[in-house]
Amino acid sequence: MNWGRAKTILIVMFLVTDIFLLVILMQTRRQTLVIPKTTIAETVKILSNNRIKVQGEQIPAKRVKSQNMIMQNHFQNPDEVAKSMLGTDAYPDERKPEEYKYQFSNDSRRLQIEGNSFLYCNEKTPVAYEGNQAADHRISAELADLLDELGFSKGTVSLYNIRTQDGIVYCDAMPKYHKENIYGIVMHITADSEAILTIEGNWFDTLEPEDNEPEFLLDVTAVLSGMALGNKDTFEIADISHGYYASDDFLNSREIAAVPVYIITDRNGQTRMYDARVGQQVE
């Protein structure tokens, strides 16, 4: 017998077997990461029977890992933040650490910090946008650049509700991690054609996702089915997304954990938010 040839055949057979088992393993893992099409189709039917219209392709099929988002108060080091927002020569007008109350100023600009709320004012003479200049699509990018100069890093801020009145821009902002918004934390902003005039609200910076066991959130199909039960309204879903939510109850802490949520928006712009771990509506 040609043992060399037999050995080669055995090696090839083992390799083929290993490749076959690897393919089976990958397919099994892929199936666990994705909601079955039959489940999505059944969910569409349940929603339709309860006066809610949605297309199957609108329902995200990919399962999402269960993890909270750890965030830190942007103003936990008041002196450092004052330098980034007002300049290195910012002057402390008031300092009450026991009340966590501070005020800094520099030329026409002022920063007040009290607890987890803050107010930034630039008391310059406003220079209004002319005509439709403020309606230009670049306004969002311009605001992002101005916020970045004040220490709110570009790519970590999501701007929305952008509007103008008498040449002055008004908008709101929430944090974001990669492309996912973090709700419950908000800054209200006004700006003219040259600079940001005021910012007020609260702000937390994203540190990192919480390192949990590799578990998945409740499937979005389960949340949608639960939403349909007892529904009395007639509406059409426009968008389904994943994000995070920080409750008002925890915004008085220096460090918080924003929980994962599913955000369901209808064609009228109404938003419904559900805790993605248990399916309970949070807002």
Side-chain angles (χ1 to χ4, degrees):
M1 176 181 284
N2 188 338
W3 290 106
R5 183 178 180 185
K7 184 178 179 181
T8 300
I9 293 173
L10 287 172
I11 291 174
V12 171
M13 290 178 60
F14 285 135
L15 284 174
V16 171
T17 302
D18 288 343
I19 292 172
F20 175 76
L21 291 174
L22 179 61
V23 169
I24 295 297
L25 179 63
M26 290 177 65
Q27 287 180 339
T28 302
R29 176 171 174 76
R30 185 171 58 184
Q31 289 173 358
T32 63
L33 297 177
V34 177
I35 300 172
K37 292 182 180 179
T38 53
T39 302
I40 292 177
E42 187 62 29
T43 302
V44 171
K45 187 183 297 184
I46 292 172
L47 291 169
S48 178
N49 291 338
N50 287 273
R51 299 194 290 268
I52 302 173
K53 184 179 179 180
V54 66
Q55 302 299 321
E57 56 269 21
Q58 290 179 283
I59 300 177
K62 184 178 179 181
R63 290 190 166 106
V64 182
K65 184 178 178 182
S66 178
Q67 57 185 11
N68 296 332
M69 187 63 61
I70 306 303
M71 308 188 74
Q72 190 175 72
N73 183 5
H74 184 77
F75 297 91
Q76 68 169 349
N77 296 311
D79 292 275
E80 292 182 13
V81 176
K83 289 179 181 179
S84 67
M85 296 188 75
L86 305 180
T88 55
D89 54 346
Y91 182 82
D93 299 313
E94 182 179 30
R95 189 188 297 274
K96 295 180 179 179
E98 66 283 357
E99 300 177 25
Y100 210 77
K101 188 175 182 180
Y102 302 85
Q103 179 169 308
F104 301 86
S105 60
N106 183 11
D107 299 328
S108 63
R109 293 179 294 166
R110 175 169 46 89
L111 174 64
Q112 294 176 293
I113 303 170
E114 186 170 356
N116 281 332
S117 298
F118 78 99
L119 171 64
Y120 165 84
C121 292
N122 186 340
E123 296 171 347
K124 67 183 289 293
T125 302
V127 180
Y129 282 93
E130 297 179 359
N132 293 325
Q133 186 181 7
D136 193 287
H137 70 278
R138 292 176 299 177
I139 188 64
S140 180
E142 292 172 2
L143 287 173
D145 288 337
L146 293 171
L147 286 168
D148 188 68
E149 292 174 3
L150 294 177
F152 301 97
S153 301
K154 191 182 296 185
T156 67
V157 180
S158 179
L159 299 173
Y160 62 104
N161 288 341
I162 300 175
R163 54 211 183 274
T164 60
Q165 183 177 345
D166 299 328
I168 301 299
V169 175
Y170 299 82
C171 75
D172 301 316
M174 71 176 79
K176 68 178 179 179
Y177 178 75
H178 294 170
K179 293 183 179 181
E180 296 185 325
N181 290 331
I182 302 173
Y183 298 82
I185 300 168
V186 62
M187 298 190 298
H188 307 288
I189 302 166
T190 65
D192 67 3
S193 62
E194 298 178 337
I196 289 177
L197 301 176
T198 65
I199 314 175
E200 61 178 325
N202 51 61
W203 198 252
F204 286 77
D205 298 313
T206 300
L207 295 180
E208 59 185 356
E210 192 173 45
D211 188 15
N212 287 339
E213 293 296 323
E215 298 179 354
F216 292 105
L217 296 171
L218 191 65
D219 284 350
V220 68
T221 49
V223 175
L224 288 167
S225 298
M227 180 185 73
L229 297 177
N231 175 63
K232 297 180 181 179
D233 300 323
T234 300
F235 62 91
E236 181 179 353
I237 292 176
D239 183 69
I240 303 170
S241 61
H242 172 267
Y244 296 89
Y245 173 73
S247 171
D248 289 342
D249 297 337
F250 302 105
L251 295 186
N252 59 350
S253 303
R254 297 288 174 262
E255 191 172 288
I256 63 173
V259 301
V261 291
Y262 291 123
I263 303 97
I264 301 167
T265 307
D266 65 28
R267 294 291 179 188
N268 295 322
Q270 182 178 349
T271 296
R272 297 165 175 83
M273 192 177 302
Y274 295 85
D275 188 323
R277 302 165 302 174
V278 296
Q280 182 179 356
Q281 188 167 3
V282 296
E283 191 175 85

